[in-house]
Amino acid sequence: MIARVGLALLVATLAAPPDEPSPAGCIKDGGDLYAEADALLAEASRDPNGPALARARERLRAARRLSPSVDRTLQGADLAFATGDSEEGVDLLAAAAERNAGRLTPAELYLVARRAEERRRWREAIARYAALARMLDERGEDGSLIQAHLRPLILEAEAAEVAPPGAEPPVEAQLALADARRALSAGRLGEAREKLSVALHLAPTYVEALDALGAVETRAGHTSAAIRAYRAAVAADPGRVETLSALANLLWGEPDRAAKEESLAMLDRAVTLRPDLRPLMRRSAMRWAEFGDAPTALERLDRFLQNATPQEREETRALRETLARRVREASRTPETAPSKPAEPLPPEPASGAVALWQKARVLAARGDSESLATALALLAEAEAQDPSFASAPELAASIHQKRGEGDKAIASLERATEADPSRASTWEGLARALERDPRRSATAEDAWRRAAAAGSTEALFQLGEAAEKKGRRSEAIDFYRRYRDEAPAGSRAAEAAAAVARLEGQKRAAVWVFVGAVALAAIVGAVALYRRRSGRSFAEWLNEYPARAAEARPVLGRVRHEALKHGGLLLSDGAARIEAGGRESVEAARLLSTRLYGEGNSAGLIAETQGAIDELRAIASQDRVRLNLRHRDAVFSWLVKGLETLRRAHRPLERIAEEEDPPAEATRRLARILNDAARSFVLASGTEMERSLDRAAALPVRADALRALLARVAAEIGVVQPELETIGGVGVESPLPLLRMPAADWETLWRNLFSNALAPKDEPRGRPVRLGLSAQKRRDPITGEPRLRIALADDLPGALSAEQLRGRPSDRGWGVIEEVLRKNDGAFEIAPSPKGGFTKAIVLDLPALEEPA
Amino acid sequence: MNAAARKVLLVIEDGTEYVDAFTRLAPASREVELLAAPDASAARRLLAERRVDGIFLDVDFSRTPADRLLPGGARDQGFRIASALAPLFEPGVPIVIAHDFTLEPERLEALRERVPALEGIVDGTPISRVLERLTAP
C-alpha cells in the first residue's frame, strides 16, 4: 500500500501543472479546482518540501466538495498518507468505500473497517469487514479470519443497542414517591402530583414514580398527561406489564387510529410478557376484534380459550363464531396487520459491568444453550465487577428460569434484591419465582410485600388475592383498593374494583350476620338469664300458695326417699367399692346401675326423682308458677345437680358393669362422679325441704279467730251469736302446736261445724246453742307423729255417733267436713260431754307440726 | 371368722334393696348374717326362731300386698311393725328405721318409749355406716 501511495505521489508530482492562485472574485467550479490542484501537485513534485503540496490538498478537498469523485477521493487519501496524515487518509478511504467499496484494495478496506471498529462504530465496522470478506472471496482468497472477527463485532453492535438499566433512584426520590402514594391513596391528587414532581426531578427515569404519576393524571382525568407519564415509564422499563397495560388502556380511549395501534402494540407486549394473565389475553382478543383485525383477534381468543372455564367459553362463543366467519370471508383479501411501533434507541453503555450485561442480554435473547451459558458467564463477571449492579443477577435469574433452574433463579433474584432493594420489578420476579414452589408461599407473599413497598402495583393486587384466599377480608379490600387507586388503568383494575365490591358486600353481610348473631345471642342470653333468674323456688311457691303444701308433701316424700335417702345410702359406698377395683367393683357397678337407672318394672332412682320433681312443677304450674329449682332454689338446685351428675355416670357405670376386670383409671373416674353426686345429695337438705313445707302448711289455732268466724256464720244464718267458751279439763292451751293444714280448709271445716251447731234441723230452740272449745296436743302412739285434738262441745239434745255422720253427701255439712279431714290426714269422733252443761263434743284429730326444739 | 361368731341382722323391707346394698356395698357385711323379712308376720317368725343382733326397718311398704300389712297403711308401715314387734326385741339390740328424725327429735323420743333402742338415719348416711351402727357392740 505504501508503495502504491509513493507511486501515486510520484506520478502526480510529475504530471501536475504549476500551482497558481485563482483570480480574486472569480467563482470556480470543481473542474477548475481539480485543475489547480493538479498544477500545485506538479509544483510540489519539483519542491516536495514547499507549500505547494499542502495547497494542492486544500484544492482537492474543495473540489471534492463541489464535485465528488471516487478517483479524486482516493487521490486525496494517497496524498494524506504521503504526508503522514493517516487520519484523513482513512477518512477518505472510508468515503470512497461509501461510494464504491470495489474501488478500494483489500488493504484499504481493512483500514477503513479497523478504524470503525476502533471507534466502536459497530455497524459500520461490520459492514466494512463483510465487504472485505466478500472481496477476498471474489478474489479466491481466504476470508475466514475476517468472518470469525465478525461474530464478536455483531454481539457488540447488538449489545450497544440494548438500553442500560436504570440506576437506583436516590433515597429522597424514594421517600417522595412513598409520600405521593400515600397522598394518592387518600385521594389528594394535587399533593401526590407535587411529590412525584420532586421524585422525577431527582430521578427522571424512576419508573415507579412515572407509573404513579400516570395513575394521578388518570384519576384527575388528564389523559394526555397520563399517557406521557406511562410512555416515559415504558421507555425507562419496557418490561413492566402494569405500565404497558395502563398505557394500552388509555391509548385505546383516544380517538385517533395511531393511538389505538400503539395501544394494541402495548397490550400485545404485555401479553407476551405475562401469558399467565388471562384477562389480558381476553382483552387483547376483544380489542383486536374491535379494531377490525379478525385473524389476530381470533388467534388471541383461541389462546385465551385454551384454559377457559365453561362459563368463559359460553361468554365468548358468539364472538368467536363471528370472528371465524370474518376470517373465512377475508381469506380472499387478507388484511394487513398494523405495523408495530418502533423501539426507542438505547443509550450507550456506561460501565464495564453494564457492557457485559448488554452482551448477556443479546445472548439471552438468542436463546440457544451456548448463548445462554455464555450470557451467564458474562453476568457472573458483571456481578463480580459490580456487586451493586442488580440487573446482572436479575438477567441471570431469567436465564436460569429459561433453563428450568428454579432454585438458581430464586438465588439470583435474591442477590438482585440485595443489590438494589428499591427495584419493584426484581421483587415481583422473585415473588413470582417463589410462588412456583408451594412450600415457599409465605416467602412469596413477603416478596410481594417488598415489591409493593418498592412501588409495584401488581404486588398490591397479588397481596389482595393472597389475603382474600386466606380469609383476611379487610386486608384484601385494602390491597384491592390501593391497586384500584394506584393503577386506575392497570391490567387488573376491573378485577380489583369487582373484588372490592364483592368483598365489601361480603363484609357488610358478615357484619349483619355478626350483628344478627350478637343480637340472637343477646336474646338467647337474656332469655336464659330470665329463665335463670325468673320463676320461684319451692319455698317461695309454697309461701305464696300454702294450700299446695298438702299436695306437695307426698311428692316431696318421694324425692327424699329416692334421692336423699337411697342416694345417700348407695352412692358413697358404691363409689368406694367401685374404686377398689376387681370383682367387687363390677358387682357394685351392676347394683348401682340397676338402682340408679332402673331395670324391669323399676324406673330407677333418677327417673323416680325426676318424675317427682316434674310432678312438683306440674302442681306449681296450676298456680301459673314456674318452679326454677335449678337456678333459684338453694336446696333443690343441689338435688338437680346431683341428678345431672348421675346421668353422666350412666355409660361409665354400664361399661364397668360389663367388664371382668375394669381398668383402674375408669373406676377412679367413675368413683369421682359418684362421690360428686353423693355430695350434691347431702347438700340438698331434705330437712330444709320439709321445713319449707311445714312453714307453708303451719296453721296457728286461735280461739279469738274462731269466735270471729262463729259470729260471721251466725250472722249469715240469722241466729243469735252464741258464746264460744273455752272449757276446762281439756282447756285451750297456750301455745298450741301449729296445725298442718291450709287456712282455707281450716275455715271450711269450722264454718261447717258452726253451721251444723247453729241450725239444727230436728228441734227448734228458744235460746242460743251453747258451744265450748277445748284442745289437747298428743302424739300418735304408733308413728309418734304430733297431733292436736280439738273438741267442739254443744248442748244440743239427741245422741249422735260418728257412724251416723259418715257417708253424708260430700257437698253438704258433714260430708264437707269429712272430706276436709280426709284430705288433711285428720279424723273425728263424737265424745261424751267433757263438762257439765254440754251434751256431746265433736273431737277433731288433726296433724300438727313438730314444735321447734 | 367362723359362722358361730357372726352377727345376725334382720332386715325388714318390702323388696331386696337394703339387703342387696348391705351385701354388695358394705364390706363389713361379710361378717354378718343377713335375714330378710318382707312383712311383720315374717319378721315375727324370724324373731321367734333366731336371735338377732340388730334390726333394720324400712318405712314404706307400698309394694306389700294390703292383706299382709298391719292396719294403718303402707306409707308408715315400718313404724307400725316396730311398734307391733317391740315386745320381741331383745333389750340392747339396735333397731334402725329408715327415717330421718332431724326435725322430729320429740317424735323419736316418743317412739323410744315403746322401742327404746330405736334410731333413725339422717338423709345421706352411707349404707356402710348403717351396718356399722347395727353391728356396733
Side-chain angles (χ1 to χ4, degrees), chain A residues 328-658:
Chain A
R328 284 194 300 274
E329 289 168 355
S331 61
R332 290 183 292 275
T333 53
E335 294 178 12
T336 306
S339 60
K340 305 291 189 296
E343 294 281 349
L345 288 175
E348 287 293 315
S351 73
V354 173
L356 290 166
W357 173 83
Q358 287 172 310
K359 286 181 191 171
R361 274 283 300 265
V362 173
L363 291 166
R366 290 178 185 168
D368 60 281
S369 59
E370 188 184 344
S371 297
L372 294 180
T374 309
L376 283 175
L378 289 171
L379 290 168
E381 190 182 340
E383 224 178 316
Q385 280 186 20
D386 184 358
S388 68
F389 183 50
S391 297
E394 191 177 8
L395 180 56
S398 71
I399 294 171
H400 284 307
Q401 280 171 345
K402 270 186 190 172
R403 289 160 46 130
E405 298 164 345
D407 288 343
K408 286 183 179 177
I410 289 170
S412 297
L413 285 165
E414 285 172 343
R415 291 200 308 278
T417 55
E418 282 171 22
D420 184 359
S422 71
R423 290 164 64 89
S425 60
T426 315
W427 286 111
E428 288 171 1
L430 177 58
R432 277 194 288 273
L434 289 167
E435 271 180 344
R436 293 190 187 104
D437 184 351
R439 294 166 303 173
R440 302 172 85 166
S441 59
T443 319
E445 189 174 335
D446 187 52
W448 280 122
R449 288 185 188 280
R450 298 294 300 267
S456 163
T457 50
E458 184 188 353
L460 297 175
F461 191 89
Q462 296 287 351
L463 288 168
E465 281 191 325
E468 186 179 355
K469 276 179 192 162
K470 290 178 181 172
R472 304 192 302 259
R473 190 187 294 121
S474 296
E475 189 183 346
I477 290 174
D478 187 45
F479 278 122
Y480 284 136
R481 272 191 188 145
R482 283 180 62 193
Y483 179 87
R484 189 188 59 187
D485 293 343
E486 294 182 27
S491 63
R492 312 187 83 167
E495 284 177 82
V500 168
R502 182 182 67 250
L503 291 175
E504 282 183 335
Q506 288 175 1
K507 196 175 176 182
R508 278 194 297 276
V511 167
W512 279 112
V513 167
F514 177 74
V515 168
V518 167
L520 186 63
I523 291 168
V524 169
V527 169
L529 191 64
Y530 172 76
R531 289 188 65 79
R532 196 182 179 91
R533 298 207 172 169
S534 67
R536 307 278 168 79
S537 68
F538 180 70
E540 287 170 339
W541 167 51
L542 289 178
N543 283 342
E544 195 172 346
Y545 297 93
R548 295 291 186 189
E551 283 178 83
R553 189 175 294 279
V555 183
L556 184 67
R558 279 160 47 203
V559 169
R560 289 191 68 179
H561 178 77
E562 288 293 341
L564 307 185
K565 186 193 293 173
H566 286 181
L569 286 169
L570 299 173
L571 291 174
S572 56
D573 278 337
R577 300 294 278 180
I578 285 169
E579 193 168 12
R583 193 64 209 162
E584 290 180 356
S585 174
V586 175
E587 288 296 320
R590 287 176 182 166
L591 175 68
L592 282 184
S593 183
T594 304
R595 298 294 302 280
L596 294 177
Y597 308 109
E599 187 182 61
N601 294 329
S602 166
L605 180 152
I606 295 173
E608 291 284 359
T609 310
Q610 188 61 54
I613 289 173
D614 292 343
E615 197 172 330
L616 286 177
R617 287 184 171 130
I619 297 170
S621 71
Q622 293 172 23
D623 303 322
R624 298 182 184 280
V625 168
R626 187 174 72 82
L627 277 186
N628 187 350
L629 302 179
R630 178 69 177 84
H631 299 293
R632 251 187 100 86
D633 197 305
V635 177
F636 270 86
S637 61
W638 289 108
L639 177 69
V640 177
K641 280 179 201 166
L643 291 177
E644 289 169 359
T645 307
L646 284 182
R647 287 189 182 101
R648 288 210 316 273
H650 194 175
R651 286 297 304 145
L653 200 55
E654 282 187 343
R655 276 198 292 270
I656 288 176
E658 290 162 5

Side-chain angles (χ1 to χ4, degrees), chain A residues 748-749 751-753 755-756 759 761 804-820:
Chain A
T748 302
L749 183 68
R751 181 177 283 279
N752 281 280
L753 284 171
S755 295
N756 286 342
K761 296 181 178 63
Q804 286 177 309
L805 297 177
R806 290 190 183 103
R808 291 189 179 181
S810 61
D811 57 337
R812 301 282 300 277
W814 275 106
V816 173
I817 292 167
E818 192 177 9
E819 175 62 22
V820 169

Side-chain angles (χ1 to χ4, degrees), chain A residues 554 560-561 564-574 577 584 587-588 590-592 595 681-682 685-688 690-691 694 740 779-786 825 850-853, chain B residues 16-18 20-21 23-28 30 56 58-60 75-76 79-81 83 98-108 110-111 114 121 123-130:
Chain A
R560 289 191 68 179
H561 178 77
L564 307 185
K565 186 193 293 173
H566 286 181
L569 286 169
L570 299 173
L571 291 174
S572 56
D573 278 337
R577 300 294 278 180
E584 290 180 356
E587 288 296 320
R590 287 176 182 166
L591 175 68
L592 282 184
R595 298 294 302 280
F681 287 156
V682 167
S685 166
T687 54
E688 278 304 316
E690 204 76 40
R691 277 197 184 104
D694 289 349
R740 206 176 66 194
R779 283 197 177 272
D780 184 289
I782 305 297
T783 65
E785 288 177 306
D825 192 22
E850 286 288 351
E851 294 174 75
Chain B
T16 60
E17 288 87 354
Y18 288 106
D20 288 344
T23 307
R24 296 200 209 175
L25 303 182
R30 295 192 204 98
F56 181 85
D58 195 1
V59 174
D60 191 339
R75 192 176 59 79
D76 52 6
F79 289 103
R80 297 181 190 284
I81 294 172
S83 177
H99 184 82
D100 185 351
F101 290 102
T102 304
L103 290 178
E104 305 164 306
E106 291 180 9
R107 182 183 181 186
L108 181 59
L111 290 170
R114 185 162 177 77
I121 53 174
D123 287 349
T125 303
I127 195 79
S128 58
R129 295 285 299 280
V130 176

Side-chain angles (χ1 to χ4, degrees), chain A residues 117-137:
Chain A
E117 183 182 344
E118 286 169 356
R119 293 184 177 179
R120 304 176 63 82
R121 298 204 294 269
W122 308 113
R123 294 291 175 198
E124 182 189 346
I126 290 165
R128 301 292 175 243
Y129 279 122
L132 176 59
R134 281 196 301 275
M135 185 179 284
L136 291 172
D137 189 50

Side-chain angles (χ1 to χ4, degrees), chain A residues 174-192:
Chain A
Q174 293 180 36
L175 293 174
L177 173 61
D179 290 343
R181 295 180 69 190
R182 274 193 292 275
L184 177 59
S185 288
R188 302 191 301 271
L189 301 183
E191 182 187 338

